[in-house]
Amino acid sequence: MSELSAQRDTDRADNRPRRFIPIASAASVGLASTRRQQRQRVALQMGFFILFVLAPVFDIFRYDLDADHAWLLGMEWRLGLDDFLAGKASALEAAGNIMLRLFVPLFIGAGVLLGVAWKWGRLYCGWLCPHFSVVETINRLMTRASGKPSVWERSTSPPWQADGSRLKVDARWWAVVLPAAVTFAFLWAVVLLTYLLPPAEVYSNLFHGELTRNQFIFITAVTVVLSLEFLFARHLFCRFVCAVGLFQSLAWMSNRNAMVVGFKRERASDCSSCLPERQSACDAVCPMRLRPRTIKRHMFTCTQCAQCVDACAETQRDNPEGPLLTWVSGEAARQNEAGFRTVRER
């Protein structure tokens, strides 16, 4: 009996229902990843904007016109020309100091920026730049006010958002758009002035209403110019005026293996079900007003913000094959561009 009982126990053990751990679909994994990436990007933008505002206050970096020298990481940063002006150093020594203390740091900083852009694109623009964070904020507010992220858009954006909800357009949001643009412009004007004059003096004069004539003119002029730029030309500035962005784009374009937004063209039919009325979520969310499903040279000013990738993952969240837009690099980036050429030849 004992042997028979043991055999029954063994059979029960072998035939008992087994618990399976479900494997996450490609769509759910992709959506979670893009959402986490966007949270990280927003956190970095906020952190860098705070650094941009506070850097002069803590002498992390600024140039003091009154003292006629710069500050770097809390220390005075001079070009070493005092001895030359006093006749105690030669012109050759002065030139060496300028090269070592001015041009070498500039070349190193530019090299790092362009090196990152060569491999990954305009990451500084999309992930750190304080101007681009304002661009995105005004975009969202203006879309709520008019249905368009820019006054220059010919048609309104799709009324549907990537998560399937409908965007409610209300003209009363203009009462937020205009003050927001002026407020950002005023903040920028004050902060830029603290990069040139002692921050304690600027903020004290501003708080007590005792700005000097030149300080008042500077803040007023910069506020007016930036208000107009934030309202009417913020995308145009990023695309055609900003030298930092331009050189990053040139470095990125020179590398055929650089990271790009890849499009799975063999599944292009899935785009027809992206949003109701056959509209594209990725086109609607791009802050630079680009078309993500195109060749690299048409994405020259892409800031790698990944909002198009996130929108695609959101709309394809129920598709077991996952999103159509993904980051690719190396040989995959080359094949992505080659695929576009093949389609064009056909």
Side-chain angles (χ1 to χ4, degrees):
M1 288 292 293
S2 60
E3 294 179 0
L4 180 59
S5 177
Q7 181 64 38
R8 287 175 179 173
D9 290 342
T10 302
D11 292 340
R12 288 196 192 99
D14 292 338
N15 296 328
R16 67 175 179 269
R18 300 182 184 277
R19 298 177 60 187
F20 293 95
I21 300 176
I23 300 176
S25 66
S28 62
V29 172
L31 180 58
S33 176
T34 57
R35 285 177 175 175
R36 182 173 62 253
Q37 189 178 66
Q38 284 302 311
R39 289 194 296 268
Q40 293 172 346
R41 191 178 72 89
V42 172
L44 284 173
Q45 282 183 318
M46 293 176 61
F48 199 81
F49 196 95
I50 294 172
L51 177 62
F52 166 70
V53 173
L54 297 181
V57 175
F58 295 101
D59 291 332
I60 297 175
F61 177 74
R62 68 182 179 90
Y63 185 85
D64 195 329
L65 291 176
D66 291 342
D68 197 24
H69 65 77
W71 289 85
L72 181 65
L73 301 178
M75 300 178 290
E76 293 185 6
W77 185 18
R78 300 176 181 272
L79 294 181
L81 298 179
D82 294 339
D83 289 343
F84 173 73
L85 296 175
K88 300 179 181 179
S90 65
L92 184 60
E93 291 174 327
N97 286 334
I98 293 176
M99 179 62 67
L100 181 63
R101 302 184 186 187
L102 178 61
F103 289 106
V104 169
L106 288 178
F107 289 150
I108 292 176
V112 171
L113 180 69
L114 295 179
V116 171
W118 184 82
K119 186 172 183 178
W120 293 292
R122 292 174 61 166
L123 285 185
Y124 169 77
C125 295
W127 289 69
L128 297 177
C129 178
H131 179 272
F132 191 70
S133 61
V134 175
V135 170
E136 292 187 81
T137 301
I138 301 297
N139 279 2
R140 287 190 288 268
L141 294 175
M142 194 170 288
T143 300
R144 287 189 169 275
S146 66
K148 300 188 297 183
S150 170
V151 296
W152 306 116
E153 291 288 306
R154 295 182 178 180
S155 58
T156 58
S157 299
W160 303 96
Q161 300 185 86
D163 60 2
S165 62
R166 192 178 183 91
L167 177 67
K168 296 180 180 179
V169 178
D170 191 336
R172 289 176 293 182
W173 276 94
W174 282 111
V176 180
V177 174
L178 298 177
V182 175
T183 300
F184 275 123
F186 176 75
L187 174 62
W188 268 66
V190 173
V191 171
L192 290 177
L193 186 59
T194 62
Y195 275 87
L196 302 174
L197 295 175
E201 174 188 338
V202 174
Y203 287 120
S204 177
N205 290 352
L206 184 64
F207 181 78
H208 294 97
E210 299 176 349
L211 291 172
T212 66
R213 178 176 176 273
N214 290 337
Q215 291 172 355
F216 177 80
I217 292 175
F218 180 91
I219 292 177
T220 302
V222 174
T223 299
V224 171
V225 171
L226 287 180
S227 295
L228 296 174
E229 193 265 340
F230 288 153
L231 287 171
F232 301 107
R234 57 190 182 278
H235 310 103
L236 300 178
F237 176 85
C238 290
R239 296 180 69 173
F240 304 113
V241 179
C242 179
V244 175
L246 174 63
F247 283 106
Q248 287 182 91
S249 292
L250 291 174
W252 179 56
M253 293 295 292
S254 67
N255 180 13
R256 295 178 60 190
N257 293 322
M259 183 177 70
V260 297
V261 175
F263 176 51
K264 298 179 180 178
R265 286 169 298 284
E266 66 277 7
R267 293 177 50 209
S269 59
D270 289 343
C271 289
S272 62
S273 60
C274 179
L275 291 179
E277 304 174 20
R278 295 181 178 272
Q279 296 166 319
S280 300
C282 60
D283 294 345
V285 299
C286 179
M288 296 294 283
R289 316 313 305 137
L290 303 175
R291 305 295 183 187
R293 297 171 297 164
T294 187
I295 58 178
K296 184 177 179 181
R297 61 186 176 87
H298 290 166
M299 296 288 289
F300 180 78
T301 55
C302 174
T303 60
Q304 320 302 91
C305 69
Q307 291 191 56
C308 58
V309 177
D310 180 57
C312 185
E314 186 73 51
T315 59
Q316 302 295 323
R317 60 187 178 277
D318 296 327
N319 190 330
E321 296 186 62
L324 289 84
L325 296 182
T326 56
W327 290 115
V328 295
S329 58
E331 183 59 28
R334 288 174 174 265
Q335 293 299 323
N336 185 71
E337 293 299 297
F340 278 110
R341 288 194 295 271
T342 301
V343 171
R344 187 173 181 180
E345 290 172 0
R346 292 177 182 175

